[in-house]
Amino acid sequence: MRPSPTTLVAGLLGCLLLGLAAGCGAGSGAIPQADTGPVDCPPVAPGSDRAAELTWIYTVDNTSFDPDRITTNNSQMYLYPVYDSLVHVNAAGEAEPMLAESWSLSPDGRSVDMRLIPGWRYHDGVPFDAGSVRANLLRHRDLEGSFNANRLESLTDVQVLDERTVRLVTDSSAGPLITILGGSAGMMMSPAAFNRPGEDVRPTGGSGAYTMSRYVPGDRVEYTRVPGYWDQDGARVERLTYLISGDDNARLNAVTTGAADVTFLRANMVRPAQESGLVICQQPSLSSYTLNLNTARSEFGDEKVRQAMNVAVDRRSISLLVSGLCQPAGQMFPDFYYASSTNVAPPEHDPEQARRLLDEAGLPDGFSFDLEVVNLDVYQQIAQILQANFAEVGITMSITPVDLNKLAEDFSVAKSVDAILFEQKAESDPSVLTAEYYRPDGFNNPGGYSDPVVVAAEDAAARGATPEDRAPQFEKLFDRVAEVQAPHLPLCNLTTPYVMNPKVGGVEIYADASRQFRGAAINP
């Protein structure tokens, strides 16, 4: 049986209703443990203030308010208030009804019929119907440069069966498509707004619970609730404000002083947050710190070299560096998630075995390579741990800090870099990531690495109709990935704590990639 997300994080963030739970005072550098067990983010209380404002503060700005023109996963959180998706993906990664109130797969699993909610209109007054859904999905798939094109590459046709029913036809399996439609690929925009000037900075054709009322680039985004929104529980506050600050101390201070209600914590912020008297809660995460190798460069095409590097890494030291907020990992996803294998454990740090493997690879004196790393302190500190680990077994690694956009361009587009260290963000469906990393034409597989067993398992996992159908195939996939040590080396799975105003309830944050405040409330 897979452990639940709460069980997984119990040993990490056990205390955390500050001032009420035992063990929450100052002391050791480790996150304190509570006798009362873990505290999840508070629920919505009866009689929440529907006229209230909820303020979230984050680190980076949005890249566009058009779902097809964003350039990062982080931008999706700025779009969720404005655009409803066909389905909602909850904090456990499960699909729930949203603009599609129900759906059913065909007997062969290659298509899905979706029944839409009745009587809803886009913010500009255009009716929400099957024809508009078809227009949106084809735009998501076909618009040049669309952020969502690869997510919908399996979609071959969208058929309008009646005003409230669409049939989505795929070239393989429609099962993964359902959760994919819980992100930007399923966001619905008024077709009348597709080419309307300025929609990327001031959207007017949304379908969600809020309209954007003010945007100050680099500073804030303000949203106002739509009168008569179809789902009252999805819009429990009158106003949402997203503040923007790249300064961690400023973000924490904003919550401490009441200028903001919620922010996420990095490791260096946990102790000051504990001393603030606010609520700290945790959400499960599917994100991880990851070392990715280009098998067409350096010595990374050799399976034994990759295996040597995997056991050379001291993952416990990385976890300690970030105060236990990232637990040692041996596979892409944590084992509470259905798309993982219960057979794969984090590798133990074993320099002696690493040296033996390098000797078997014909490299008794080691080799050298260059690592590009995101130019933020935590990434560079992790890189320094890796550098020392590899040096211990004869591998010389140089470190080149770059900004995130250059890192992605150099590795995945120009294919000019040996290896990169970064945070792998989650996607609405695991097949998006497995295809990117494990298929020979995957975006994050610049060396074209291919293993027939891995590819077959990835294909089978993508064809499954339900998580229950797909889980055994994902287990086979990650068992094989660990056996041959594919060039994607997860270092640790992240758990992210949040500090918040004690009156905030109902915060749902899925997998760090798509922070959503749908249904959040200010409690009495």
Side-chain angles (χ1 to χ4, degrees):
M1 179 181 294
R2 298 182 190 279
S4 70
T6 297
T7 301
L8 181 79
V9 298
L12 302 180
L13 293 165
C15 87
L16 291 174
L17 188 58
L18 300 181
L20 298 180
C24 289
S28 69
I31 295 176
Q33 302 295 306
D35 296 336
T36 55
V39 173
D40 294 324
C41 294
V44 176
S48 65
D49 183 0
R50 296 190 64 85
E53 177 179 4
L54 177 70
T55 302
W56 154 256
I57 182 166
Y58 191 57
T59 52
V60 296
D61 202 350
N62 188 20
T63 57
S64 177
F65 285 95
D66 182 329
D68 291 322
R69 300 190 188 281
I70 60 174
T71 58
T72 69
N73 273 344
N74 288 331
S75 292
Q76 294 190 62
M77 72 173 186
Y78 290 99
L79 275 58
Y80 280 113
V82 177
Y83 303 101
D84 278 358
S85 298
L86 289 173
V87 303
H88 172 64
V89 177
N90 64 24
E94 302 161 338
E96 299 176 339
M98 199 175 196
L99 290 177
E101 65 180 16
S102 63
W103 52 82
S104 60
L105 286 163
S106 62
D108 65 2
R110 296 173 69 92
S111 67
V112 58
D113 289 358
M114 289 190 153
R115 184 71 171 165
L116 309 177
I117 64 169
W120 186 232
R121 290 180 177 270
Y122 294 96
H123 298 166
D124 60 2
V126 171
F128 170 71
D129 58 17
S132 70
V133 170
R134 182 178 190 276
N136 270 277
L137 293 179
L138 295 181
R139 181 181 192 258
H140 289 329
R141 187 193 66 182
D142 298 338
L143 182 70
E144 184 176 357
S146 171
F147 181 78
N148 300 297
N150 68 328
R151 291 160 174 78
L152 296 179
E153 62 184 1
S154 68
L155 182 67
T156 58
D157 194 15
V158 183
Q159 301 169 2
V160 175
L161 303 186
D162 61 42
E163 187 178 59
R164 288 182 53 204
T165 310
V166 290
R167 174 169 294 160
L168 312 184
V169 183
T170 71
D171 60 9
S172 53
S173 172
L177 185 62
I178 295 170
T179 46
I180 287 172
L181 295 177
S184 55
M187 289 182 180
M188 294 292 108
M189 175 194 288
S190 167
F194 284 176
N195 300 311
R196 189 178 292 155
E199 286 294 302
D200 57 335
V201 292
R202 186 64 185 265
T204 61
S207 55
Y210 295 86
T211 57
M212 195 199 76
S213 48
R214 185 185 181 206
Y215 175 42
V216 181
D219 180 66
R220 69 183 58 225
V221 187
E222 297 175 1
Y223 307 90
T224 303
R225 187 170 58 209
V226 174
Y229 179 62
W230 66 272
D231 177 15
Q232 290 192 1
D233 288 343
R236 290 190 172 98
V237 294
E238 177 71 26
R239 297 173 305 283
L240 289 171
T241 297
Y242 290 6
L243 301 177
I244 303 162
S245 174
D247 185 322
D248 289 343
N249 291 328
R251 289 191 297 109
L252 179 56
N253 187 60
V255 180
T256 303
T257 61
D261 295 304
V262 189
T263 195
F264 76 95
L265 298 176
R266 300 191 199 276
N268 65 324
M269 300 166 66
V270 172
R271 179 60 62 190
Q274 289 170 339
E275 296 167 353
S276 70
L278 298 171
V279 169
I280 301 178
C281 66
Q282 85 281 335
Q283 293 279 9
S285 170
L286 302 182
S287 297
S288 63
Y289 290 133
T290 296
L291 176 65
N292 213 18
L293 311 175
N294 183 340
T295 53
R297 298 177 65 89
S298 189
E299 304 291 341
F300 302 145
D302 190 315
E303 179 180 315
K304 290 188 180 297
V305 169
R306 300 193 301 271
Q307 290 171 336
M309 295 177 70
N310 201 36
V311 297
V313 174
D314 183 356
R315 287 167 169 82
R316 295 185 186 279
S317 291
I318 295 172
S319 181
L320 288 171
L321 172 71
V322 294
S323 302
L325 299 180
C326 198
Q327 289 297 288
Q331 57 185 316
M332 179 177 284
F333 300 116
D335 61 7
F336 71 77
Y337 193 44
Y338 78 91
S340 66
S341 172
T342 55
N343 303 320
V344 179
E348 292 295 331
H349 176 48
D350 192 339
E352 185 176 340
Q353 183 186 0
R355 284 189 286 267
R356 283 198 304 269
L357 287 164
L358 288 173
D359 191 58
E360 291 173 15
L363 296 167
D365 299 322
F367 63 98
S368 62
F369 73 97
D370 182 59
L371 176 79
E372 278 198 359
V373 59
V374 179
N375 58 354
L376 296 174
D377 286 347
V378 66
Y379 296 99
Q380 294 180 61
Q381 290 163 1
I382 293 172
Q384 288 164 3
I385 291 175
L386 296 179
Q387 188 178 52
N389 292 161
F390 294 146
E392 188 177 4
V393 301
I395 300 173
T396 302
M397 183 186 85
S398 61
I399 301 172
T400 304
V402 297
D403 66 55
L404 181 59
N405 290 336
K406 177 172 171 53
L407 181 136
E409 173 71 24
D410 290 349
F411 188 75
S412 297
V413 181
K415 305 179 181 181
S416 59
V417 175
D418 298 335
I420 58 172
L421 171 65
F422 65 109
E423 180 184 339
Q424 171 204 285
K425 294 287 190 179
E427 290 281 355
S428 54
D429 188 84
S431 65
V432 176
L433 285 178
T434 57
E436 285 186 356
Y437 286 100
Y438 302 133
R439 297 189 68 84
D441 58 350
F443 183 71
N444 286 317
N445 182 11
Y449 170 81
S450 182
D451 177 86
V453 178
V454 168
V455 172
E458 202 278 330
D459 283 341
R463 287 197 301 271
T466 67
E468 291 75 18
D469 294 337
R470 302 171 73 193
Q473 300 304 324
F474 278 116
E475 184 155 87
K476 291 179 184 177
L477 168 64
F478 288 112
D479 286 351
R480 179 62 176 176
V481 164
E483 179 185 353
V484 298
Q485 193 45 68
H488 169 262
L489 279 63
L491 305 176
C492 56
N493 297 126
L494 286 155
T495 297
T496 306
Y498 296 81
V499 62
M500 59 182 65
N501 171 345
K503 290 189 174 184
V504 174
V507 173
E508 179 181 89
I509 302 172
Y510 167 63
D512 294 341
S514 52
R515 295 174 169 91
Q516 303 181 43
F517 294 91
R518 180 180 184 80
I522 299 295
N523 292 328

